[in-house]
Amino acid sequence: GALANFRRVNDVISRKNSVYKLNEILQHNNASSFESMTENLALENEETRLIALNNTLPIEFRIGDGLGSLRIGEADGVILAGMGVHTMVDILLGLAHGYSASAEQKISLGVDETLRSEYYCGNLPLDRLRTNYLFLQPTNSRPRHLLLLYDRLHKNGSWVLKDEKIVFVGGRWYISSLLERQHRSKVDRISGLMSEPNSSESSFRFPGYFLNDQCDGVYESYVLHHLNWLKRDFERRDGLLEDDDQRWIQYLLSGENKETWKSA
């Protein structure tokens, strides 16, 4: 499977890393001249190439704007990391529905129903690619930023949070999220048996939904840090907080661990 291939590739890289270290090659092959060193290096590179051909995944590199370089139906899953939430939203939903949308475009964040196919809306990048899974790790993990990300995806394609992981590295928290598209049949949409995602939050999950039971204390320290941050914001702004900050606090105080967060 993919995981086994990934591990084999790592093994190849580890074993053949010395190919690019000329001093190690000279010592290993007792090469005494530039010509013999070059010959041995070429042999090592060819061996590495053949091993890699048998063990690597079919990877292609393309240059493009966001998801624009991918073809229709080409990405069942999309991974984004190392960028902010606002950039992710623009890439995944397109500028017409993303964070950078104009004021007129932001009036209605829902998708034009007339452009829907049987399962996919036709006017969003993720729908053109027929994407069903998103693996996201934004650099700005502040709760209101994650809430914006989850919110926009839920309202534009019925994306539902399926799992989360959190780590604390280099003085910062990083939250990785798995979201899956919630398909609706054509009959359901026409008959109205299932509510539109922007009219109901029945399937919407807040940031941290899958982290409450994490036992290593990382999520707890994350929550306490941001609650203290919001307390300072509240005092500096004469009792005012951003709407999404208020929503996150209300979520915390309504959950199973509400007594823990109340004492904070």
Side-chain angles (χ1 to χ4, degrees), residues 183-244:
H183 287 294
R184 298 179 301 151
S185 71
K186 192 172 183 179
V187 174
D188 286 340
R189 291 200 308 275
I190 294 175
S191 64
L193 294 177
M194 186 172 183
S195 301
E196 287 294 324
N198 53 356
S199 65
S200 171
E201 291 198 349
S202 58
S203 59
F204 180 77
R205 290 169 176 166
F206 277 75
Y209 181 88
F210 290 98
L211 299 175
N212 279 312
D213 297 329
Q214 189 164 318
C215 301
D216 57 8
V218 177
Y219 179 63
E220 182 178 356
S221 64
Y222 166 86
V223 171
L224 293 176
H225 171 83
H226 285 93
L227 284 176
N228 288 328
W229 189 346
L230 291 176
K231 283 181 181 179
R232 293 193 296 270
D233 279 355
F234 184 81
E235 293 168 356
R236 285 196 298 264
R237 299 178 181 180
D238 298 324
L240 296 176
L241 287 176
E242 298 286 342
D243 290 344
D244 282 343

Side-chain angles (χ1 to χ4, degrees), residues 141-177:
S141 61
R142 189 167 179 171
R144 76 174 183 217
H145 291 147
L146 292 173
L147 190 52
L148 182 150
L149 177 64
Y150 293 2
D151 234 355
R152 292 289 179 90
L153 289 169
H154 186 69
K155 291 176 179 177
N156 293 275
S158 300
W159 291 93
V160 177
L161 184 66
K162 289 295 184 178
D163 199 7
E164 294 172 298
K165 301 295 180 186
I166 186 170
V167 294
F168 186 70
V169 179
R172 299 183 65 178
W173 286 273
Y174 294 91
I175 293 180
S176 302
S177 309

Side-chain angles (χ1 to χ4, degrees), residues 21-75:
K21 299 178 181 178
L22 300 184
N23 289 334
E24 292 184 16
I25 292 174
L26 281 168
Q27 182 180 3
H28 177 72
N29 294 287
N30 295 317
S32 57
S33 68
F34 180 78
E35 290 77 12
S36 59
M37 180 191 72
T38 304
E39 182 181 348
N40 289 324
L41 180 59
L43 290 174
E44 290 280 357
N45 279 333
E46 178 62 16
E47 182 183 351
T48 301
R49 188 186 70 83
L50 293 174
I51 293 175
L53 284 175
N54 294 325
N55 289 280
T56 56
L57 297 172
I59 298 174
E60 293 182 28
F61 294 92
R62 301 179 191 170
I63 299 176
D65 184 9
L67 302 175
S69 61
L70 299 177
R71 292 182 284 271
I72 294 175
E74 197 171 36

